[in-house]
Amino acid sequence: MSFHPECLGRSYSAPPEILDRERHLAYAAAVTGQDPPPELVRPLACFAAVYLLWPIVPQLFSDQQVGLDLPRLLHGEQEFWFERPLQFGEELTPEGSVTRADERRGMVFLELLCHGRDGRGEAVAHSRSLFLVRGPE
Amino acid sequence: MVGFPPALDEVPPKLSQRLTQERIDAYAKASGDHNPIHLDPDFARAVGLPSTIAHGLLTLGSAAAEIEIWAQETAWTSRVSCRFSAPHPSGQVVSGQPRVIESESTRAAIELEAENEAGERVLSRGLVELRPV
């Protein structure tokens, strides 16, 4: 599959996701190595991978108009940030777009920016991912 | 953490966690990231890796969770970021000592770096930003 730099600006959306306490328990057990995990007052920040990033990423990875070579793909950088503390039971609607798409010295650089909107339509959770695709050996 | 903000000389809990294949499998199930480089040793070797590797977001999530649990009574996490500098092979311990690098009345920043058993930096430029609850 060949990469298409003109994919810059491609956007994706997904149905609303609930910050489910039970789902968070399984997530927290994996990241803490404790089962059950410690009592948590609010969702862990990187739980955003579950409700914000992964509803969008499979769409990006399978998008023929982007053309990522998945076996050579690396996750280079990740950032999550939030406008306020989130609570269990909240519903967020994820959306994402390609904000960088270029190729330098045989390496593909693709940035995906995602936002999660709350029930009032406010973007309260954000994610920036930089994916790299290694060129042929 | 005693109160907000943490003092610059306050020491967050040291990170030392073995990311077993069982934990990687559990993370894949919990997160929905079923990329075979994390789950299938034959596939991982076929793409030039020595073994399956932990998800970057499992490594980051594990490191950040230690800080968040330490801080949760007095702070919420407004930002987590890092660069994934090297793969973390399954079964290895990820370790690091977070440091408080900024301490203000409304914001604190914890630097977060971690390495694998080979001494390779797996998380660099890591940051957890805390704000008072």
Side-chain angles (χ1 to χ4, degrees), chain B residues 34-55:
Chain B
H34 297 285
N35 186 329
I37 63 170
H38 308 301
L39 306 172
D40 180 345
D42 292 337
F43 183 90
R45 282 190 285 272
V47 296
L49 295 166
S51 68
T52 52
I53 57 171
H55 305 73

Side-chain angles (χ1 to χ4, degrees), chain A residues 75-137:
Chain A
H75 195 166
E77 296 175 8
Q78 182 62 46
E79 186 171 12
F80 295 116
W81 70 103
F82 307 89
E83 304 300 332
R84 59 169 174 77
L86 301 180
Q87 307 296 328
F88 290 115
E90 277 199 61
E91 193 173 84
L92 293 185
T93 304
E95 61 191 34
S97 59
V98 175
T99 49
R100 176 182 174 185
D102 54 55
E103 205 163 2
R104 281 187 292 156
R105 296 191 292 276
M107 177 90 89
V108 168
F109 294 79
L110 186 134
E111 185 181 75
L112 175 70
L113 197 59
C114 296
H115 306 288
R117 295 189 182 278
D118 66 10
R120 302 167 66 172
E122 303 284 338
V124 293
H126 314 274
S127 165
R128 184 187 68 83
S129 310
L130 180 66
F131 297 107
L132 313 172
V133 183
R134 294 173 292 157
E137 303 300 331

